[in-house]
Amino acid sequence: QSALTQPRSVSGSPGQSVTISCTGTSSDVVNYNYVSWYQQHPGKAPKLMIYGVTKRPSGVPDRFSGSKSDNTASLTISGLQAEDEADYYCCSYAGSYTWVFGGGTKLTVL
Amino acid sequence: EVQLVESGGGLVQPGGSLRLSCAASGFTFSGSWMFWVRQAPGKGLVWVSRVNPDGTSTTYADSVKGRFTISRDNAKNTLYLQMNSLRAEDTALYYCARNREYGFDIWGQGTMVTVSS
């Protein structure tokens, strides 16, 4: 149950695109298409942004998209806006009804 | 309104016990997979435990296995986490969450547990 690996921080200017990576292993990301992404603003509960690698819940802007290649899942945010500044966490199903989160990435909008 | 409301957190001495509750409303609790996720101060999210809809199947993170017990009362729309043999490293904000299609789509506001002498 080792945490997925995310960069500690990323940044971008308004209107630009940023991509946050999430690296796992054959125990989780590689073998399951059950990667989800969460946005967390300071002092708030996490919010589901992406599930099933690429699916967006209703109400989440289409500026947010997810993908996966081999052992790395990615969250791309296009057309960056000031309100996107937050912490982002990936999560993967890891088999045997266990889950694992990434360490989190702080997104700064310059 | 769809919501989860946690309660039961507080200050407890190392080795002590605490029971957290999570009251659900606005959705079909009895048909939902429910989870506990925690977040230590200034740190990331960590999956703690999961229970299936009828409460017959549970799983735990290695760090809490044998010390924590997840359960639910579908008649009361309530999820529980019994925490025994608490350690300083269990200090965290504990969230309950619903998992649907392998995404945690509903979260509570969290209840804080502090383990300290």
Side-chain angles (χ1 to χ4, degrees):
Chain A
Q1 294 178 354
S2 298
L4 306 174
T5 301
Q6 298 181 233
R8 291 190 66 105
S9 64
V10 298
S11 63
S13 299
Q16 288 186 333
S17 293
V18 295
T19 296
I20 300 172
S21 61
C22 170
T23 302
T25 69
S26 57
S27 296
D28 37 65
V29 173
V30 173
N31 282 333
Y32 302 102
N33 288 321
Y34 296 137
V35 175
S36 52
W37 289 90
Y38 302 87
Q39 177 191 66
Q40 186 179 36
H41 288 109
K44 300 295 187 181
K47 175 185 176 184
L48 178 65
M49 305 303 285
I50 296 287
Y51 67 101
V53 178
T54 62
K55 301 175 185 177
R56 242 183 352 264
S58 63
V60 173
D62 59 7
R63 302 184 295 104
F64 292 84
S65 63
S67 62
K68 190 184 85 165
S69 178
D70 297 326
N71 66 335
T72 299
S74 299
L75 173 71
T76 299
I77 309 170
S78 58
L80 262 182
Q81 299 181 3
E83 58 262 36
D84 298 334
E85 184 163 294
D87 293 326
Y88 290 84
Y89 295 91
C90 61
C91 179
S92 176
Y93 179 65
S96 301
Y97 298 110
T98 66
W99 277 256
V100 61
F101 281 91
T105 298
K106 180 176 180 59
L107 169 62
T108 301
V109 180
L110 302 170
Chain B
E1 180 188 5
V2 171
Q3 66 176 353
L4 295 169
V5 179
E6 302 94 336
S7 60
L11 175 63
V12 61
Q13 293 187 337
S17 298
L18 213 53
R19 188 175 87 152
L20 307 184
S21 298
C22 171
S25 59
F27 66 96
T28 305
F29 178 77
S30 62
S32 299
W33 286 39
M34 296 300 298
F35 290 68
W36 289 98
V37 176
R38 69 184 181 184
Q39 186 170 34
K43 302 296 184 181
L45 302 172
V46 176
W47 170 73
V48 172
S49 183
R50 151 259 162 199
V51 62
N52 70 340
D54 65 7
T56 58
S57 175
T58 60
T59 46
Y60 301 90
D62 288 344
S63 58
V64 307
K65 200 174 295 182
R67 300 187 299 121
F68 289 13
T69 302
I70 189 172
S71 63
R72 63 193 298 161
D73 185 336
N74 286 341
K76 294 183 178 179
N77 285 347
T78 303
L79 177 73
Y80 303 101
L81 186 68
Q82 176 66 44
M83 304 186 296
N84 299 331
S85 302
L86 282 162
R87 307 165 180 168
E89 54 264 37
D90 296 318
T91 293
L93 186 63
Y94 283 74
Y95 292 102
C96 66
R98 181 183 81 166
N99 189 295
R100 188 167 175 232
E101 296 186 57
Y102 293 87
F104 299 101
D105 65 338
I106 304 172
W107 294 73
Q109 83 290 348
T111 186
M112 186 68 200
V113 172
T114 302
V115 184
S116 174
S117 54

